[in-house]
Amino acid sequence: MLPQSHSNDPRGPRLRRITLLTAALTLALAAVCSPAQESRLPDIGSSAGELLNPAQQAEYGEMLLAQLRHYDYVLEDPLVDEWLDQLGSRLANNSDRPQQPFTFFMLRQRQINAFATLGGYIGVNAGLVLNAEREDEVAGVLSHEIAHVTQQHVLRAVERAQRDQLPILLAMLGAIVLAQSAGGTSSTDGSNAAIVSAMALLQQRQIDYTRSNESEADRVGIQTLSRSQYDPAAMADFFERLHVASRSNRANEYNTSDDYLMTHPVTTTRISEAKERAEQIARAPGRFNAGTTLASDNPLLPGGLRIGDAMPTQGGTGRFEFARERLRVLSADTPRAAIDEYTRLARAGKASPAQRYGLAVAQLRGNQPAAAAAILGELLEQRPGDTWVLLALAEAEAQSGKHAAADARLDALLKQSPHNRAVALTFARLLAERNNAAAGQRAQALLRPLLSQSADDAVFQKTYARACELAGDRIRAGEAYAEAAYLGGRPEQALVQLNTLKKNTELDYYARARIEARIAAITPTVLELRRQGVRDEDLQRR
């Protein structure tokens, strides 16, 4: 389905970019399916078993994530990212391949969906979290997607596509873009899984998981849930609720469960099998049992180690409800829409602490710091020392012009957790909003200790670039802005910026060496994207 016309839509430029990409996808698919045309892609797999190596898989996953950022589908928030990464890493470390690297990211769409793609990149729609009743259910879906990677279902699907000579990255990206842009708002955009719907424009020739793949992902995922001390029945519980909602044609403002069911078909047989597997695991000696520890099946852990000795107790990260409410606000179309949502929720009964936190975050985004501070102050009395509440309260103080109080609160948090990414980024962002050199220098100093571990962190690079700019450090600011462009799906623009920066007469030997190294590293990515048919439309118009 092609994007509809939105002549007065403020998202018009993004939709025009989507249309350009769709046209490029259509042309590329037509070209590679024509026997008279030679494929422009390198050989990335064949029936002879010459598949992508792990480094190449990671490169494709990284490029896909960058392009999704470019089209504004990725929801990046330090606190939500922290929660999702903690949850995902816990599952990945207890998977069948704990050595496999994974990258978990959130999409802002409110449909129920999640997908896995090359290199262990796993995307989760905000709508999936909003519709989950407990963290175990989110963990169930994630463990299923992790299993698609560890059991090499994704890689096998790519191998099948390669036999059709399809441009993998462009097909995956185009399918997501087409699906996500089908509607007009964050609460109606469709969201199909990347790898399983990559060949939608070829009608019958789809990359798709087989029924046996889905069954295996369920079985392996349930084992991962158990090892991670999540309820192994949670996957079946969530699928059953989706199935019932689909059969009764029930839908709410967050989801169209058909999006998930189209790419992950749920039948009564599949639900029954998942329940049976969960019951078998629960009955097995040393397996999941609420309140007890678990024996580990992880081959990298000592045989006698019990997971309960090294893992949090059953019940998850302890942040699910707050993360869900933060996502409710960040995925809403406007702060006013989020506040209205909480008004409707309040009619159903007394608001939970997490819902009150969500309302305060919505008020902050709606420039109502006094109202937010009142709620947050009450929450802090109930949850003293809670980092999420303290960060929001500091933001409310900063918005009210109480900069000294905000700084003192954030300084105390940094002393408690010196390298906490969420605290450092929030503090630096609030400092940068003051728009003066002193604040920029302080923000730069706050972020500098995290620089070495933040090469692939788009939010960090943007924040650091602004801090350096305010501080008057033009070289570091230019490097960080170029890095943010690269991570945001604009590698050609990153090259232009770095080549321009290279001409700066203020460069010392070390800065020039850094810049030349990044130019050399980014150039192959630009060439590969061009081979895939992905070009920077802004640069093409110049």
Side-chain angles (χ1 to χ4, degrees):
M1 180 176 181
L2 293 176
Q4 300 172 2
S5 174
H6 295 268
S7 57
N8 296 320
D9 193 324
R11 301 177 309 131
R14 181 166 69 90
L15 291 176
R16 284 193 293 274
R17 289 197 298 269
I18 290 169
T19 303
L20 286 171
L21 176 61
T22 302
L25 171 63
T26 305
L27 291 173
L29 292 177
V32 296
C33 291
S34 170
Q37 289 284 343
E38 181 181 355
S39 173
R40 294 177 298 162
L41 278 177
D43 182 9
I44 65 168
S46 68
S47 57
E50 295 180 0
L51 299 176
L52 289 166
N53 65 43
Q56 290 171 317
Q57 293 178 54
E59 288 172 6
Y60 273 101
E62 179 186 336
M63 285 191 285
L64 179 65
L65 175 55
Q67 290 300 312
L68 290 175
R69 283 195 186 107
H70 173 43
Y71 291 104
D72 198 31
Y73 294 130
V74 182
L75 191 159
E76 293 183 288
D77 173 77
L79 290 173
V80 170
D81 292 344
E82 179 183 71
W83 166 74
L84 181 62
D85 188 63
Q86 184 180 355
L87 168 58
S89 296
R90 178 174 170 178
L91 294 166
N93 290 338
N94 287 283
S95 71
D96 280 4
R97 293 179 60 201
Q99 70 276 15
Q100 163 73 47
F102 282 91
T103 300
F104 302 92
F105 58 95
M106 188 70 65
L107 299 177
R108 64 181 70 254
Q109 276 61 40
R110 284 191 166 193
Q111 274 68 27
I112 300 174
N113 220 332
F115 62 84
T117 189
L118 292 170
Y121 282 74
I122 294 181
V124 181
N125 273 22
L128 188 147
V129 180
L130 292 176
N131 282 272
E133 293 181 352
R134 53 199 177 109
E135 186 170 280
D136 300 69
E137 294 181 343
V138 180
V141 175
L142 280 179
S143 65
H144 175 95
E145 299 302 333
I146 287 171
H148 276 314
V149 175
T150 62
Q151 305 312 114
Q152 296 194 320
H153 298 159
V154 175
L155 195 55
R156 291 171 192 162
V158 169
E159 182 186 23
R160 290 197 299 273
Q162 174 60 14
R163 288 200 293 266
D164 288 335
Q165 294 186 311
L166 295 173
I168 302 303
L169 175 65
L170 188 58
M172 290 191 297
L173 180 59
I176 296 172
V177 168
L178 286 171
Q180 300 276 32
S181 64
T185 67
S186 66
S187 61
T188 58
D189 282 352
S191 178
N192 292 337
I195 196 70
V196 298
S197 61
M199 306 310 165
L201 294 184
L202 289 184
Q203 299 178 350
Q204 302 302 316
R205 300 299 294 169
Q206 281 186 292
I207 290 180
D208 201 0
Y209 295 135
T210 65
R211 185 173 300 177
S212 63
N213 287 161
E214 288 294 280
S215 179
E216 184 177 33
D218 287 349
R219 175 180 58 79
V220 174
I222 289 170
Q223 291 173 346
T224 298
L225 278 177
S226 175
R227 293 170 186 160
S228 305
Q229 286 198 285
Y230 284 107
D231 182 359
M235 184 188 296
D237 290 346
F238 191 61
F239 287 168
E240 185 170 33
R241 283 199 290 110
L242 288 184
H243 185 61
V244 171
S246 175
R247 288 179 64 86
S248 61
N249 292 319
R250 268 194 302 126
N252 59 34
E253 62 184 308
Y254 304 131
N255 79 80
T256 304
S257 59
D258 288 346
D259 287 330
Y260 188 86
L261 298 176
M262 180 168 61
T263 55
H264 302 75
V266 176
T267 64
T268 54
T269 301
R270 183 178 173 191
I271 293 170
S272 298
E273 289 175 350
K275 285 184 176 181
E276 184 178 351
R277 291 184 186 113
E279 289 171 0
Q280 290 173 352
I281 287 176
R283 290 193 301 265
R287 286 300 194 176
F288 177 88
N289 187 5
T292 68
T293 57
L294 305 176
S296 173
D297 288 337
N298 188 323
L300 297 187
L301 295 178
L305 178 67
R306 299 183 70 80
I307 294 177
D309 297 334
M311 296 288 295
T313 58
Q314 190 272 335
T317 63
R319 283 294 183 192
F320 167 68
E321 291 186 349
F322 271 55
R324 180 176 60 187
E325 297 311 314
R326 191 168 180 87
L327 277 172
R328 192 187 306 279
V329 177
L330 299 179
S331 65
D333 292 326
T334 64
R336 181 72 256 171
I339 293 171
D340 289 344
E341 254 185 75
Y342 284 108
T343 301
R344 292 192 296 273
L345 289 172
R347 297 193 191 113
K350 184 178 179 181
S352 68
Q355 288 173 338
R356 290 163 60 210
Y357 167 79
L359 174 59
V361 174
Q363 290 169 334
L364 282 175
R365 290 171 62 83
N367 198 27
Q368 301 176 31
I375 295 174
L376 294 166
E378 294 174 0
L379 282 175
L380 194 59
E381 291 179 3
Q382 301 169 14
R383 304 169 66 93
D386 189 302
T387 300
W388 289 38
V389 176
L390 287 167
L391 284 175
L393 192 52
E395 188 168 353
E397 290 167 338
Q399 279 191 22
S400 300
K402 302 175 182 177
H403 298 306
D407 289 359
R409 196 176 299 281
L410 290 164
D411 275 327
L413 279 172
L414 276 178
K415 286 180 182 177
Q416 179 182 329
S417 305
H419 300 295
N420 185 295
R421 174 179 178 266
V423 175
L425 285 173
T426 300
F427 200 172
R429 175 174 57 83
L430 294 176
L431 285 168
E433 288 174 359
R434 299 176 197 175
N435 203 33
N436 61 63
Q441 290 167 359
R442 189 173 185 191
Q444 188 182 31
L446 284 173
L447 295 176
R448 194 176 288 117
L450 302 179
L451 188 59
S452 61
Q453 64 193 59
S454 303
D456 299 327
D457 188 336
V459 175
F460 177 91
Q461 294 295 342
K462 290 176 187 176
T463 309
Y464 188 63
R466 179 57 179 158
C468 293
E469 183 179 34
L470 289 173
D473 189 344
R474 292 183 293 178
I475 303 303
R476 283 290 189 179
E479 290 180 81
Y481 275 126
E483 210 62 44
Y486 173 76
L487 295 170
R490 312 302 292 267
E492 289 187 80
Q493 288 200 14
L495 274 185
V496 170
Q497 293 174 24
L498 288 171
N499 279 306
T500 300
L501 189 61
K502 186 179 172 182
K503 300 174 184 177
N504 193 309
T505 57
E506 298 176 10
L507 287 182
D508 60 23
Y509 171 82
Y510 299 102
R512 185 176 299 278
R514 285 196 310 269
I515 292 167
E516 289 177 345
R518 285 307 290 152
I519 290 173
I522 291 174
T523 298
T525 299
V526 172
L527 295 175
E528 175 61 16
L529 285 170
R530 286 178 179 176
R531 283 194 294 268
Q532 292 281 323
V534 179
R535 299 295 298 269
D536 192 303
E537 61 275 9
D538 292 337
L539 291 178
Q540 283 184 300
R541 285 195 292 268
R542 291 181 183 177

